[in-house]
Amino acid sequence: QVQLVESGGGLVQAGGSLRLSCAASGSIFSINSMAWYRQAPGKQRELAAIIDGGNTRYAEAVKGRFTISRDNTKNLVNLQMNSLQPEDTAVYFCNAAVQTFRGGPSRNYWGQGTQVTVSS
């Protein structure tokens, strides 16, 4: 009913920048929050950044380097990643808390993930 599609992943050199985008579509009444998670091999999935209303928060490892933002349509979230390091290599997943109808519950939806690889 709700689909999240990520784009913008790829291979970059250390110190470079990359911009990830996630577009939500389907039956959407409202999106309460959007977030980017990431999972590196052998590690747990972790929250990289989240935007909830006007509030944002970041994992300590990405503070000062990553910026999360939402489009005016509220169905698009971006993650601007600067000064990328090899430690940022991971699959990045988009997550959104979505109400599909008025008065309904907010449920979490996930994208399929996009690979970000940072070479040293």
Side-chain angles (χ1 to χ4, degrees):
Q1 194 170 24
V2 176
Q3 299 83 41
L4 303 178
V5 180
E6 303 101 333
S7 62
L11 175 64
V12 298
Q13 298 283 329
S17 297
L18 203 62
R19 184 176 178 87
L20 304 183
S21 295
C22 173
S25 62
S27 182
I28 299 173
F29 177 75
S30 67
I31 299 177
N32 296 317
S33 65
M34 300 189 81
W36 287 96
Y37 288 75
R38 65 183 187 178
Q39 187 167 21
K43 297 183 179 180
Q44 297 183 27
R45 186 174 298 185
E46 66 174 356
L47 178 67
I50 186 168
I51 183 164
D52 184 357
N55 298 316
T56 61
R57 61 185 178 95
Y58 300 88
E60 288 294 328
V62 309
K63 283 183 179 178
R65 300 187 298 117
F66 289 11
T67 303
I68 188 170
S69 61
R70 285 183 65 178
D71 185 80
N72 290 338
T73 64
K74 304 185 188 301
N75 66 352
L76 180 69
V77 64
N78 299 312
L79 186 67
Q80 179 66 47
M81 304 184 294
N82 298 326
S83 301
L84 284 163
Q85 302 299 313
E87 293 74 25
D88 298 314
T89 295
V91 178
Y92 285 71
F93 296 91
C94 181
N95 172 271
V98 179
Q99 290 177 275
T100 59
F101 58 92
R102 181 181 176 183
S106 181
R107 296 189 175 98
N108 282 318
Y109 294 86
W110 293 89
Q112 292 298 306
T114 185
Q115 177 70 48
V116 172
T117 303
V118 184
S119 61
S120 60

